[in-house]
Amino acid sequence: MTEKPIPTSDGHDKPFHRYAMVTLKALGLILGLAVLVHVSWNMFAPDLLGLTPMRMKQALGLVIFAGAFASVVRIATARRYPGKAC
């Protein structure tokens, strides 16, 4: 009988590793956008428009809301035709 070769673990054969990396990248993108919104709002809006400074929690909520709203609009306006990929 022939022996099957033992596969080496290079990190690509574990599905959890892939999902963890995608999750970390998504969270990093969301937090990065929230920091950008927070800093840019607090740098310009209070002085120019006389508004109160934004808290980090509000910036995070705004980024999540904008992402959810953009996703809903994209799904709602997608035209589905047979034979064409979306």
Side-chain angles (χ1 to χ4, degrees), residues 17-83:
H17 177 66
R18 192 172 348 144
Y19 296 133
M21 291 307 295
V22 169
T23 302
L24 285 175
K25 287 179 184 179
L27 286 176
L29 179 66
I30 290 170
L31 288 175
L33 285 174
V35 167
L36 180 67
V37 167
H38 180 257
V39 168
S40 63
W41 177 275
N42 288 339
M43 195 179 297
F44 298 113
D47 294 335
L48 291 176
L49 305 172
L51 299 171
T52 60
M54 181 183 280
R55 295 168 54 194
M56 186 61 191
K57 191 185 289 187
Q58 292 170 323
L60 186 60
L62 183 64
V63 167
I64 292 172
F65 174 74
F69 184 73
S71 298
V72 168
V73 167
R74 184 175 178 161
I75 290 169
T77 59
R79 297 180 187 222
R80 307 235 185 246
Y81 295 112

